[in-house]
Amino acid sequence: MNEIRDVIIENFDTGAAGSILISAGKTRVLCTASLSTDLPGWLASKEPPSGWISSEYNMLPGSTSPRKRRGTDGRSTEIQRLIGRSLRAMVELTSIPGLSIICDCEVLQADGGTRTASITGASVSLMIALGAALDDGRLAAPPTDRLPVELVTAISAGVVDGKCVVDLDYEKDSRADVDLNAVQNQKKEWIELQGTGERAGFSKAQLDEILDLCDAAIDKIRNRQLEFLKKNLSANATRILLGA
Ligand code: UDP
């Protein structure tokens, strides 16, 4: 089963420098990237000067049924740390000195794969925010005219009814024997793999099949990210961020 739900990335205006809505089937996440110069205390005196990227993840109460109580629980803490690590893998932090970027992921509708949609969407909103910072001078153009930055893209997969499948919706996720979340960069290197034998163990052959499914799905989703960025970044930012 190598079908994935249709991924749509669209502008969704808020006050943030980068702000997009990502949909993967019925899962929908608003991803904003806000720029500031408020670096964490421990980073402020570091040499060479560095920037920082972090993330917060939240499922809105009405995103699922029954209603989810407002507030940060253990699950959202775990998820926002995963998103933050994935986003920090996008860019060499010393190349954005003094810049702090917080990527907020608000799940509007949850139907499985909210953390992977958040990573894919936040990666795009972060790129848009970096483009805005380059355009208004908050981020100086790098001497080489190319910022060492690349997209990250994520997808879920697993084993359901004995078959390896990719992009689990809630119905599949809730009965999956194996659940795996995969994050990849533009070089097609894995940034993070989280695989769990929830109800049954899995073999090396099954893992290989799952990773092949993830790899092919991520190629398709990355194309969507790039299409959106090429339409929405300035020509200057496109050259510096995408090298195109
Ligand atoms: N879910 C829910 N309420 C919760 C947690 C999860 O309705 O408090 C549903 C939601 O549809 C979510 C799915 O369960 O997308 C799978 O949750 P999981 O923790 O595996 O994370 P996700 O697949 O969303 O990254």
Side-chain angles (χ1 to χ4, degrees), residues 106-165:
E106 312 294 340
V107 178
L108 308 185
Q109 195 172 0
D111 184 29
T114 61
R115 77 192 67 197
T116 51
S118 296
I119 292 167
T120 301
S123 179
V124 172
S125 65
L126 176 58
M127 283 287 207
I128 295 286
L130 288 173
L134 284 165
D135 288 345
D136 68 15
R138 271 181 285 184
L139 181 60
T144 54
D145 223 22
R146 178 85 171 88
L147 201 75
V149 60
E150 56 184 305
L151 284 167
V152 291
T153 312
I155 193 72
S156 71
V159 178
V160 181
D161 300 331
K163 290 197 189 74
C164 296
V165 289

Side-chain angles (χ1 to χ4, degrees), residues 1 29 32 42 51 56 105 108 114 152 161 168-169 176 179 207 213 231 233:
M1 289 271 286
V29 187
T32 59
W42 58 268
E56 295 186 13
C105 301
L108 308 185
T114 61
V152 291
D161 300 331
L168 309 186
D169 60 13
D179 189 5
L207 177 61
L213 289 171
K231 271 193 214 137
L233 287 171

